[in-house]
Amino acid sequence: PVRSKWLNNEVNLSLFPAAQREHLHQKMSENGALPRGGKVLTVDTMNANVKKVDYAVRGPIVQRAVQIEKELKEGVKKPFEEVIKANIGDAHAMGQRPITFFRQVMALCTYPQLLDDNKFPEDAKNRARRILQSCGGNSIGAYTTSQGIECVRHDVANYIQRRDGGIPSDPDNIYLTTGASDGIVTILKLLTAGEGRTRTGVMISIPQYPLYSASIAELGAVQVNYYLNEEKCWSLDISELQRSLQAAREHCNPRVLCIINPGNPTGQVQSRQCIEDVIQFAAKENLFLMADEVYQDNVYAEGCEFHSFKKVLFEMGPEYSSKVELVSFHSTSKCYMGECGFRGGYMEVINMDPEVKAQLTKLVSVRLCPPAPGQALMDLVVNSPKPGEPSYQTFMMERTAILSALAEKAKLTEEILNTVPGIRCNPVQGAMYSFPCITLPERAINEAKAKGQAPDMFYCMKLLEETGICLVPGSGFGQREGTYHFRMTILPPTDKLKILLNKLKEFHQKFTQQYS
C-alpha cells in the first residue's frame, strides 16, 4: 500500500520518524516525486544545466532598460528622455531601413496576389515565383524539407563557390537553419559526449559571444577558454591555443575549436595567415572546427579583408582539405541585411563522416524545418539582383550606403572613446561592436563587490540609470582577470551615436571623479 501511495504522490511524510522521513524525502526528490499538491516542476527538480545558462546580451541590464522605458511612458521623471539600446546587434531596431528588393520579394511570397501588381519589378516577381514553386502547394506557409528548400540550398552553394573563387560547394552539404545560432547549437549537440575526463571540451575565444557559453552549459559540455590578445587588436595567438588545449586535457576531452571572424564582441578581422595557422593547429591536434562567419560583409579597416575558413582550407591543399572537419555558419541577421527577425541562416559541413551526417539530418528533421520565410530571405541574400536587372542599381546603392555608414560609425566610435581618460578602444576592424577597456576606481570596484556585482555590471547599471544608455558589461562575455570592459553596438544612426558617445564620455568622467 505504501508503494502504491508513493507512486500516486500520496505519502504523508510526517507519519515517519525524522531519519526515515529525511531519507524518503531525498528519494522522492531524486525521482522527481513530490507530496500531493506540490509543483511537479520546481527550481530544485528542473534540469540543472538550464540553471547554469547565462545570456548577458539580454540579461539584467536589458530587463532594467525595459522597465525604465515603461516608467518613462508612465510619466516618471528621469534625467533623460529615452533609453538608447546599444546592447544588441539588431540593426532594424536601431533605425536601419530594410533593403527594398528583399522586402518586395518577401511581400510577393507572403501575398502572391501581388504578382499581378505592376508596382513590383520583374526580377522581384521572378525570384518570388521560383521560391513559391519550390514550396508545397506554392505556399510559403507550408513545411519545407528538413534540410531546407532545395533551390535555396543550390543558390547558397553557388554563392559560396563564387565567394571562394570557384572552390566547389555541394548543395547536399548545405543545411538551412533558424539563424546561425540554431546551426551552432545543433553541431555542438552532435559533438557533446563522454563523462568526467572524457567529456567534450569546447574551445571558445574570450571575450566570446554568450551563445557559446550558454549552449555549452545547457548541453553539459566543458567550456575551454582561450584568450584573444587585446594588446594586439584582439588577435589570436597559436601559443595561447596550445596553452589552453594542454590545460584542458587534464580534465576533459577538447574536441572542437570555435572561431568568430569577424569577431563578436571584439570586432577584429583575422588575417589569412592567422586562419592558416588555426587550420594547421586543428589538423595537428585533431580538432573539429566551427567557423562563425555571420559578419563576413562587415569589414571596415584599411588593409583588412574577410577570408572564409573554407577557402583557406582548400587553398592549403589536400593534406588539410581532405582531413579537417569544418562547419561554417552564415545568417540573414547581420552584414548589410540586419533581418534578425526572419531567423534565416545556413551552415556548410565539410569532411563530415557520412554516418554522422545522416544523424545530423535526422536531428534537424525532429524540428521539421527552419521557418520558410527565413529560408526565402536567405535565398535573396545569396542570389541578390544582378547587373542589368531592374532592381540592381537600387540594391547596390542601399547596400553600399549601409556598409559605408557602418564603416564611418566604427571609426567615429573608436576616435571618440579614445579621447576619454580611462577608456581604451581598439580599432573596430569589422562586425558591429566595440569592446573598450575601462579603468575603474578602486572604490567603485569595492562597492560593486559589496553589492555582489561584477564591477563593470555596476558601472553599466549606473550608466543606464543616469543616462538611459544600455550597454552590456564585459563580464558577460568573459575577460582577463582584473580587466573591465563593455560592449556597445555601432548601429545607432550617426546623430544618435554621437549623442550616445558624448553622454558616455561625460558619465565616465563624472563616475571616475565620484569614486576616486
Side-chain angles (χ1 to χ4, degrees):
V2 170
R3 177 172 169 76
S4 67
K5 286 188 175 185
W6 179 292
L7 293 170
N8 289 310
N9 291 339
E10 293 174 5
V11 175
N12 184 349
L13 293 179
S14 64
L15 299 176
F16 294 87
Q20 199 175 354
R21 187 164 67 237
E22 190 174 326
H23 175 72
L24 286 171
H25 189 274
Q26 185 181 343
K27 285 292 179 189
M28 290 174 76
S29 185
E30 285 171 4
N31 288 290
L34 289 164
R36 191 175 180 181
K39 297 283 188 189
V40 173
L41 182 62
T42 69
V43 171
D44 292 328
T45 63
M46 70 180 284
N47 183 333
N49 286 339
V50 173
K51 289 187 280 187
K52 297 174 187 171
V53 169
D54 189 24
Y55 189 65
V57 175
R58 296 200 175 193
I61 295 266
V62 184
Q63 290 160 19
R64 177 62 188 137
V66 171
Q67 285 178 342
I68 290 173
E69 282 182 319
K70 286 179 184 171
E71 289 170 11
L72 285 169
K73 281 179 185 172
E74 290 163 2
V76 177
K77 294 294 178 191
K78 302 277 182 188
F80 48 87
E81 293 179 358
E82 65 170 336
V83 172
I84 302 177
K85 289 182 182 170
N87 63 295
I88 194 165
D90 189 350
H92 292 190
M94 292 284 100
Q96 180 180 307
R97 294 178 65 82
I99 296 290
T100 303
F101 180 76
F102 292 171
R103 289 304 181 89
Q104 286 174 331
V105 179
M106 295 310 299
L108 292 163
C109 286
T110 309
Y111 191 60
Q113 286 89 329
L114 292 173
L115 287 163
D116 298 324
D117 191 323
N118 60 16
K119 291 190 187 77
F120 289 83
E122 209 53 43
D123 53 348
K125 289 181 180 180
N126 290 338
R127 294 289 202 291
R129 288 188 190 102
R130 181 167 174 266
I131 291 165
L132 290 172
Q133 284 162 9
S134 301
C135 295
N138 289 335
S139 171
I140 204 165
Y143 285 132
T144 73
T145 57
S146 298
Q147 200 168 334
I149 298 169
E150 188 175 1
C151 78
V152 178
R153 289 191 289 114
H154 276 270
D155 287 346
V156 169
N158 289 335
Y159 161 80
I160 292 170
Q161 194 161 319
R162 287 194 311 274
R163 182 198 68 187
D164 292 345
I167 293 165
S169 177
D170 183 351
D172 195 44
N173 288 337
I174 305 296
Y175 288 77
L176 301 182
T177 57
T178 308
S181 302
D182 170 52
I184 290 164
V185 174
T186 299
I187 296 300
L188 287 175
K189 275 184 187 174
L190 291 180
L191 284 155
T192 302
E195 295 297 333
R197 289 189 65 169
T198 66
R199 191 64 171 166
T200 295
V202 181
M203 298 181 70
I204 62 171
S205 61
I206 298 296
Q208 54 102 24
Y209 175 46
L211 165 72
Y212 289 90
S213 54
S215 302
I216 291 163
E218 184 183 352
L219 295 169
V222 179
Q223 180 175 319
V224 177
N225 297 340
Y226 65 89
Y227 290 88
L228 300 177
N229 188 338
E230 185 169 10
E231 304 307 315
K232 294 184 179 175
C233 206
W234 297 113
S235 63
L236 193 163
D237 296 332
I238 297 301
S239 58
E240 169 60 13
L241 286 181
Q242 194 68 59
R243 178 209 62 78
S244 169
L245 182 70
Q246 284 174 342
R249 281 180 172 158
E250 297 295 316
H251 60 89
C252 69
N253 178 22
R255 302 176 67 201
V256 53
L257 172 58
C258 301
I259 307 283
I260 308 174
N261 180 48
N264 175 10
T266 43
Q268 84 285 8
V269 178
Q270 288 186 353
S271 67
R272 193 189 184 287
Q273 185 58 54
C274 178
I275 294 170
E276 266 195 44
D277 293 344
V278 169
I279 290 169
Q280 286 172 350
F281 177 79
K284 179 168 76 85
E285 301 294 349
N286 202 30
L287 294 170
F288 191 106
L289 266 178
M290 292 174 64
D292 181 338
E293 299 176 333
V294 301
Y295 298 99
Q296 56 191 259
D297 292 322
N298 299 111
V299 178
Y300 318 122
E302 203 173 312
C304 288
E305 186 183 344
F306 171 74
H307 302 276
S308 79
F309 266 76
K310 159 105 179 275
K311 183 173 189 275
V312 176
L313 174 65
F314 277 78
E315 287 175 347
M316 289 171 71
E319 178 190 353
Y320 296 98
S321 62
S322 63
K323 175 187 175 185
V324 174
E325 295 155 86
L326 167 70
V327 182
S328 55
F329 306 89
H330 195 19
S331 163
T332 62
S333 301
K334 309 301 176 184
C335 297
Y336 63 93
M337 300 84 73
E339 295 279 12
C340 305
F342 275 99
R343 310 308 301 131
Y346 74 73
M347 59 183 176
E348 182 184 29
V349 302
I350 303 295
N351 292 327
M352 182 173 275
D353 184 296
E355 290 184 19
V356 174
K357 197 173 163 192
Q359 294 293 323
L360 169 59
T361 304
K362 177 188 76 175
L363 183 59
V364 299
S365 71
V366 173
R367 296 195 295 266
L368 297 174
C369 67
Q375 296 184 52
L377 187 63
M378 190 77 249
D379 188 62
L380 304 176
V381 172
V382 298
N383 185 24
S384 55
K386 307 289 186 293
E389 291 183 334
S391 301
Y392 178 74
Q393 197 171 346
T394 302
F395 169 76
M396 286 305 294
M397 186 178 70
E398 292 175 343
R399 181 186 188 277
T400 303
I402 290 167
L403 291 174
S404 297
L406 285 169
E408 181 192 320
K409 289 186 283 189
K411 196 164 179 52
L412 179 74
T413 301
E414 177 202 344
E415 285 173 354
I416 293 180
L417 287 178
N418 280 328
T419 65
V420 186
I423 297 183
R424 190 179 76 252
C425 182
N426 271 321
V428 182
Q429 296 176 336
M432 296 177 170
Y433 317 96
S434 67
F435 196 72
C437 183
I438 52 174
T439 303
L440 299 180
E442 196 65 34
R443 200 153 67 84
I445 293 169
N446 293 337
E447 189 171 322
K449 288 177 179 174
K451 291 184 174 184
Q453 289 184 339
D456 46 16
M457 167 67 87
F458 176 75
Y459 176 92
C460 287
M461 195 63 88
K462 283 256 185 196
L463 175 71
L464 174 64
E465 296 288 354
E466 293 182 24
T467 69
I469 295 170
C470 180
L471 307 179
V472 190
S475 47
F477 300 89
Q479 53 199 350
R480 282 197 182 275
E481 189 71 30
T483 66
Y484 307 106
H485 301 79
F486 58 75
R487 187 190 82 163
M488 63 167 281
T489 73
I490 60 169
L491 291 173
T494 305
D495 56 343
K496 196 170 276 191
L497 182 64
K498 285 178 181 175
I499 293 168
L500 185 159
L501 290 166
N502 285 320
K503 276 188 168 188
L504 180 55
K505 182 177 182 176
E506 287 171 18
F507 169 82
H508 187 82
Q509 290 167 337
K510 182 183 163 191
F511 182 91
T512 303
Q513 285 172 354
Q514 184 183 346
Y515 286 97
S516 291

